[in-house]
Structure formats: C-alpha cells, structure tokens
Amino acid sequence: MKKIVFTAIVLIFTTSFCSAYMEDKVFCTISKDSITVTMEKSNNYKCSEYLSVLSQAINSDYNDILSVQKLINQWYDVDFWKQIREEKREKIKKMISIKDQIETAIAKFDSNLFEKIKEYVVYNSTPYRATYKKALNALNAIQQQWWKHSSSTTKKIEFMQEEITVIDNIIQATDYDTLIKNFNRHLYLKNQIEWK
C-alpha cells in the first residue's frame, strides 16, 4: 500500500511538473563561467524571467540599432554613430549567446530529468510485465485444454494483455506525455488485475 501511495505522489508531481513548460518551473543561477538549472527556488530566479528580460533587452537594443542606422544613412556624425551601432551589436551578440546557453542548460536539465523519471517508472513497472506474461502463458495453457474461463478471468486476461502493451510503451517512451499517460494506465490496469 505504501508503494502505491508513493507512486501516486510521484506521478502527481511529475504530471504537474512535466506537463507545463519547463522554463516556467525551473530556476537558474548564472555566473561568469556557468549556468546552473535547478528546481530549488531559494536564492535563484526563474529561468523564464532571465529569458524574458534578455529578449526584451535584445529587442530594445535592436530597435536602437535601427534608429542609429537611420542617422548613419542620413550622414549625421557617421563615425560616432557607427561606433554606437557596433557597441550595440556586440551587446546583442553577448545577450543572444547567454540566452542560447540558458535554453541549452534548460533542455539538458529537462532531458536528464526525463531520463531519471523514466528510469524510475520503468524500474517499477517492468516486474509486472514478466509476472503477467507468466500468468498469461499459464492461463492460455489451461484454455488450450478446453477449459472455458469465467468472465472475470477473461476480463483479467484482457487487462494483462493490455498491461504488457502499456509497459512496452513506457519502455519506449521518448516524451513526458507518452510516459505519464502510459504510467497512469499501468497503475489503473495493475489495480484492476489485482482486484479481480
């Protein structure tokens, strides 16, 4: 019972965490040499805030460059304005580089988190696959001897067959939606099989 409750808690957490956009749920610490992505809020800011501020600053500086370029095109103090334009361009390049690094760090964090969650889900579900395969083989052997299964046994067989397919889908999952959808189905089927 404890295992089912723990599994349900983990499932609720991962569903709410993973179904939303990752940048909105993780926090960043940015230093000169590194970007750290974490789920810990203390002393960190949302990565999405960093990205939003950087995007606004990039757009603002880009608009400034366009204005400066108009002055250059009108031949107003060209050398001075070209220097300003180049400084703004360099600033934009740095901000774009930082923005790309943040997005890469978030993607890497997301990928690592997905792999850990999948590893946990696969670890908890694959033993049932082997158990249900053995049970199906035994039930099929009984059926081949002209025994007719009761309706509850037939339903249990259907659940076990579906459960094996669902566990295979979990093992092959490459995204959160597929993983969580199949894990939810696995929990439902497991409970139905054990209840019948």
Side-chain angles (χ1 to χ4, degrees):
M1 184 66 180
K2 281 184 179 180
K3 191 174 183 178
I4 291 173
V5 171
F6 178 73
T7 303
I9 290 169
V10 168
L11 182 63
I12 290 167
F13 168 76
T14 55
T15 303
S16 65
F17 180 78
C18 302
S19 63
Y21 189 53
M22 181 61 72
E23 289 171 1
D24 228 18
K25 301 291 182 185
V26 293
F27 300 87
C28 289
T29 303
I30 300 177
S31 65
K32 185 178 179 182
D33 299 327
S34 67
I35 296 173
T36 304
V37 178
T38 181
M39 292 179 358
E40 294 178 27
K41 184 177 181 174
S42 64
N43 300 327
N44 300 308
Y45 294 100
K46 279 187 178 181
C47 297
S48 60
E49 289 178 21
Y50 280 108
L51 294 172
S52 176
V53 169
L54 283 168
S55 292
Q56 290 170 8
I58 290 167
N59 286 338
S60 175
D61 282 349
Y62 179 74
N63 288 332
D64 290 348
I65 288 173
L66 293 177
S67 297
V68 167
Q69 188 61 47
K70 284 181 185 177
L71 294 172
I72 292 170
N73 291 345
Q74 294 173 6
W75 294 96
Y76 290 118
D77 204 358
V78 175
D79 292 334
F80 172 76
W81 290 116
K82 280 186 177 180
Q83 182 181 349
I84 299 291
R85 182 188 64 190
E86 293 312 309
E87 288 171 5
K88 294 268 186 193
R89 282 182 178 170
E90 288 304 312
K91 188 177 170 189
I92 287 176
K93 285 179 189 176
K94 286 179 185 174
M95 288 189 292
I96 288 173
S97 174
I98 292 169
K99 188 172 180 273
D100 289 345
Q101 289 172 26
I102 293 171
E103 289 170 343
T104 300
I106 292 169
K108 186 175 180 183
F109 180 85
D110 182 41
S111 177
N112 289 339
L113 180 63
F114 174 77
E115 289 304 318
K116 291 295 180 191
I117 292 170
K118 181 178 174 181
E119 187 178 298
Y120 170 80
V121 170
V122 167
Y123 175 79
N124 282 307
S125 60
T126 51
Y128 294 101
R129 187 181 188 283
T131 301
Y132 297 148
K133 273 199 161 263
K134 284 182 187 176
L136 281 173
N137 288 339
L139 290 169
N140 286 336
I142 291 171
Q143 190 173 17
Q144 288 177 354
Q145 296 174 358
W146 301 101
W147 289 88
K148 185 170 176 139
H149 295 302
S150 66
S151 62
S152 66
T153 304
T154 303
K155 192 69 176 165
K156 193 172 190 174
I157 289 171
E158 290 172 9
F159 283 143
M160 284 190 280
Q161 289 170 335
E162 184 181 355
E163 174 73 324
I164 291 168
T165 302
V166 165
I167 293 170
D168 288 341
N169 291 343
I170 288 171
I171 293 168
Q172 297 168 4
T174 58
D175 60 74
Y176 285 114
D177 290 338
T178 304
L179 182 68
I180 300 304
K181 182 181 93 176
N182 283 286
F183 187 63
N184 283 335
R185 188 66 182 162
H186 157 69
L187 292 176
Y188 169 78
L189 291 168
K190 182 172 75 74
N191 289 333
Q192 291 301 311
I193 291 166
E194 291 172 0
W195 181 73
K196 294 268 183 214

